[in-house]
Amino acid sequence: MKYTEPMFKAEELSGKTILVTGGGTGLGKSMTKYFMQLGANVIIASRKQDVLDGTAKELTEETGGKILAVACDVRKPLEVESLIAKGVETFGEINGLVNNAAGNFISPTERLSPKAFDVIVDIVLKGSYNCSLLMGQYWIKNKIKGTVLNIVTTYSWTGSGYVVPSAVSKAGVLTMTRSLAAEWAKYGIRTNAIAPGPFPTTGAFSRLFPEGLKEKIDPLKRIPLKRYGEHQELSNLAGYLMSEFSAYVNGEVVTIDGGEWLYGAGEFTGLDAVPPEMWDHIEKEVRGKNKK
Ligand code: HXC
Ligand code: NAP
């Protein structure tokens, strides 16, 4: 058994229909594939119909599962309404929502135009609340016990320079996760989040770790497990949180980052850089201070 293998084997999500925003690429595509392997119908939605169609074709062939690809800009409530209507028309009902669509790029904050700030907040925060609100209203009206999974990041609670619009938005999504978990539990609606550290995807890595910066910033150096996340690991966690096995988990955010954020936060974890042979000298010096 290895962490790159699927955790559940089959049917854990059968009978469910899950809407994955940003499901045509990256982590959204990986989660979609696994949900289909576990028997779910999946609706994938993002701005680019051609990308969605390519993913839908590929995953249908690979999994034999059912998928619907709908172009939708999550910033626009009317498009989200129409997306939900199409999903219900195709599959009868929708049981799960994964708010995965995002936009992000690195930039010193003072270089941003108001529009550049808006574009990220609108996709990440507004997109997530548009989808949550409209799905929630649909679930409450139809007495469906839906499940929401929000994909945030570890800087949702620490904040981070150079991605301030994203940090502000993900913090909002994390707060929404906890708030709705408390408010909508009475309808049987659960809301959880996953906070990934670096998982290689073209969308994220091309915008956050561009070639020119590789020399200066190597994200691997910040991860104590010394490797990136594997998509299947994240999909396993998402599969669990979308399944009935997590029926009592509500309002939780699960970090999956190889220990990265705590490593960065710890006052002394940088002492990893001290070579073992130097510790004799350091110990002697420190013990020397104890002499009365
Ligand atoms: C400064 C920038 C910029 C940059 C765009 N803008 N890129 N400003 N530096 N690098 C400004 C533009 O000049 C414009 O403002 C405004 O932002 C909108 O830009 P558009 O190109 O018109 O927007 P659009 O075509 O809608 O593209 C949206 C996008 C793009 C967010 C900029 O990157 C995108 O489509 N991203 C989707 C996928 C994505 O980002 N995936 C990564 C998620 S990773 P002005 O005022 O000039 O008109 C993630 C992981 C985090 O979230 C954690 C990792 C560890
Ligand atoms: P990605 O492939 O770029 O995924 C982002 C998706 O969002 C794309 O499919 C994009 O499709 C869609 N999208 C963007 N704007 C949209 C809009 N207005 N309406 C609808 N869809 C829109 O990047 P990723 O790495 O897989 O990221 C997926 C999620 O994981 C994001 O929430 C990200 O913040 C989170 N995350 C990733 C990492 C990582 O290391 N990869 C780490 C932490 C968190 P279109 O362009 O077709 O619209």
Side-chain angles (χ1 to χ4, degrees):
M1 208 277 293
K2 224 176 167 289
Y3 59 81
T4 47
E5 288 174 15
M7 182 167 82
F8 297 127
K9 299 303 175 193
E11 305 304 317
E12 271 74 8
L13 296 176
S14 70
K16 289 195 189 296
T17 297
I18 300 174
L19 166 57
V20 181
T21 67
T25 64
L27 296 176
K29 180 178 174 182
S30 297
M31 288 187 277
T32 296
K33 179 178 164 185
Y34 192 41
F35 294 163
M36 290 170 77
Q37 287 171 335
L38 296 179
N41 307 315
V42 183
I43 304 154
I44 53 173
S46 77
R47 294 165 299 177
K48 301 187 189 98
Q49 185 73 57
D50 55 333
V51 173
L52 295 170
D53 288 342
T55 295
K57 184 170 182 297
E58 184 187 325
L59 297 188
T60 307
E61 283 165 11
E62 252 183 272
T63 69
K66 292 205 177 91
I67 184 167
L68 174 69
V70 183
C72 169
D73 187 330
V74 292
R75 293 171 287 190
K76 300 180 179 157
L78 287 179
E79 291 192 18
V80 177
E81 249 176 48
S82 147
L83 162 70
I84 294 171
K86 282 182 187 147
V88 172
E89 190 185 305
T90 306
F91 294 120
E93 64 177 35
I94 304 174
N95 315 92
L97 164 68
V98 182
N99 280 313
N100 165 80
N104 202 358
F105 51 76
I106 46 170
S107 175
T109 307
E110 65 275 16
R111 290 172 61 100
L112 298 175
S113 66
K115 191 177 160 198
F117 215 113
D118 278 349
V119 76
I120 303 302
V121 176
D122 284 353
I123 298 171
V124 179
L125 180 57
K126 193 172 180 188
S128 299
Y129 71 63
N130 280 340
C131 294
S132 302
L133 178 65
L134 292 166
M135 282 301 299
Q137 288 171 345
Y138 156 76
W139 284 330
I140 292 164
K141 187 173 165 211
N142 292 285
K143 297 193 168 36
I144 294 169
K145 295 180 176 182
T147 303
V148 182
L149 178 60
N150 294 322
I151 308 300
V152 295
T153 72
T154 50
Y155 58 66
S156 308
W157 53 88
T158 62
S160 174
Y162 301 95
V163 285
V164 170
S166 170
V168 165
S169 307
K170 294 287 192 183
V173 176
L174 178 57
T175 298
M176 183 173 70
T177 305
R178 292 171 170 151
S179 306
L180 288 181
E183 187 180 339
W184 283 354
K186 62 178 175 285
Y187 302 115
I189 300 170
R190 293 188 298 122
T191 312
N192 290 298
I194 294 178
F199 281 69
T201 66
T202 307
F205 274 45
S206 64
R207 292 176 174 91
L208 303 172
F209 308 115
E211 283 297 319
L213 272 181
K214 276 228 169 98
E215 296 285 292
K216 287 210 176 328
I217 297 180
D218 177 359
L220 275 180
K221 290 202 176 117
R222 300 163 38 87
I223 305 170
L225 283 176
K226 298 293 174 217
R227 68 170 177 84
Y228 293 126
E230 292 282 339
H231 284 212
Q232 187 64 51
E233 292 177 280
L234 186 127
S235 299
N236 286 340
L237 181 55
Y240 166 69
L241 289 171
M242 295 307 290
S243 79
E244 291 303 313
F245 287 111
S246 61
Y248 205 49
V249 181
N250 187 29
E252 187 53 87
V253 54
V254 183
T255 302
I256 178 164
D257 74 341
E260 184 195 32
W261 88 265
L262 284 168
Y263 188 85
E267 179 81 28
F268 292 107
T269 34
L271 290 177
D272 271 356
V274 176
E277 59 278 12
M278 208 193 254
W279 278 110
D280 286 343
H281 173 77
I282 293 172
E283 184 177 340
K284 202 168 154 204
E285 187 186 323
V286 174
R287 280 180 181 275
K289 301 280 188 297
N290 296 341
K291 287 200 181 111
K292 307 262 160 30

